[in-house]
Amino acid sequence: MATPMKARDTFPKLKMYIDGEFVDSASGDWFESFDPYTAKPWCLIARGNAEDADRAVKAADRAFTSGPWPALNASQRGALLRRLGDLVAENAERLGELEVKDNGKLLSEMAAQLRYAPSFYHYFAGLADKIEGAVIPNDKAAFTYTLHEPLGVCAAIIPWNSPLLLTAWKLAPALAAGNTVVVKPSEYTSASTLEFVKLIEQAGFPKGVVNVVTGFGPEAGQPLIEHPLVRKVAFTGSDRTGAHIYSEAARDIKRVSLELGGKSPNIVFADANMDNAVKGAVSGIFAATGQTCVAGSRLLVQRSVHDEFVERLVDFARTARMGNPMELDTQVGPVTNLPQYKKVLGYIDVAKGEGAQTVLGGGKAQRPECGDGWFVEPTIFTGVRNDMRIAQEEVFGPVLSVIPFTDDDEAVAIGNDVVFGLAAGVWTENIRRAFTMARRLQAGTVWVNTYRALSYTTPFGGYKRSGLGRELGQEAIREYLQTKSVWISTAEEVANPFVVG
Ligand code: NAI
Ligand code: MG
């Protein structure tokens, strides 16, 4: 899919951001970023490698250890973050449009995300000067207290589905805690991050506190996670890359937090409000074209209402308007990149091969309003058994597997019978069942009578193979801090120096 050199010359060229400057890559190479709606490239991104990663990490390390950043007090850090949040709010629409151009998600969704993003900066801005240590009662002749200190340089490795929101989830607590950061956006969606980083400068952060290295995972990401000066890696993406990062981090005993997607059960009981449950099932899997870590990709439906529920679901999902993600009434946009498009279509074939029945969609979308874009028809399979690959593996696309169950015990057994545990949904009007299911499901988030709800105040992360650590809420800032215990002796004299006691 090589683009003629002449056309390429007209594309905007987006540079990396290191030590307060927009710079070319060390190699001088560029790579194309695509618009998924047209399946055509539209801009060039600097192709980073180990040399660029090293420059960025060293700049971040200098900013952490010297200059104005470590001299700021926590309230001053909070003030900078608050200003950054205000600037994101002022630029929300523009940044949202840029994200749509690069990742093909709906403008209605990305604009809403960008309007919400300032709240994450504001929340952690407020938390910056509320990180309190403790005075610890001590059985020795000593006054003991704790300090919660930043870790150093953090690498934030970001996927393509919600680039600026997921950057905010890492950047805001990392900076509130006093760290410095190197961001590595996805090779499929780097443009919005390079625009956003201008706001960091405008907000008044000292140079080197936030850097952006662009490029491919193995070329620009790998040297970051290997770099000895990086003290923490915060990652959102595939479980495979997450596992790789975890093992690489082990060599230098780096901290990691990992958010790795899932195969979340969305469970509909016969006593549910059916209108709401149908909407919840649709938003669980077709919103964002199914490209969310929390996608409710396994729909568990109680047998007594199974056929009726599936009929209503199919009738509703069938009406979804596909097309240009920039148009506000579009409901399902394209898949973000070509490998993902092929992966989703591949899983549709897998499901058919496993004997699942296609009751909606089941292939690429060949509608005039979809043009040449990477569109997949909203797809629903029934007759899925939980041991099929389509029920066990993350598809990350608009593909729903419907699995029947008989009673609560069976719903829990099927719901938990996957390697993942990011989220789960429960639809019931029975309060006792709501509490019991919330306790029994192995997931970092359980939603009752809603789906995909998130807030900056509420911890988010995975059980089991879905990840490690928590983002958002007060817990998140702990991921970017380490505890120091300080002992001040109150003894008149040092006792026997040969005996520890
Ligand atoms: P990926 O996990 O490989 O990529 C995520 C980020 O990691 C990108 O910035 C990438 O450049 C970086 N990366 C890759 N290899 C690296 C390495 N060796 N060292 C450092 N950084 C590295 O995911 P990809 O290929 O974009 O998508 C594959 C699958 O991942 C999807 O089909 C989906 O199932 C899942 N995914 C999950 C997401 C989530 O929100 N949990 C988000 C996006 C994808
Ligand atoms: Mg793109």
Side-chain angles (χ1 to χ4, degrees), residues 32-36 42 101-103 187-190 336-337 374:
E32 293 174 333
S33 196
F34 285 75
D35 174 349
W42 70 279
K101 178 104 180 139
D102 221 11
N103 80 356
E187 49 271 47
Y188 299 110
T189 55
S190 303
T336 296
N337 58 62
W374 296 314

Side-chain angles (χ1 to χ4, degrees), residues 157-161 184-187 217 221-222 225 235-238 241 244 259-261 293 340 343 394 396:
I157 314 266
I158 311 292
W160 39 261
N161 52 339
K184 211 303 269 164
S186 166
E187 49 271 47
Q222 181 68 26
I225 63 172
F235 172 78
T236 302
S238 64
T241 302
H244 170 73
E259 197 272 90
L260 309 178
C293 47
Q340 190 61 27
K343 175 178 164 179
E394 183 175 58
F396 222 68

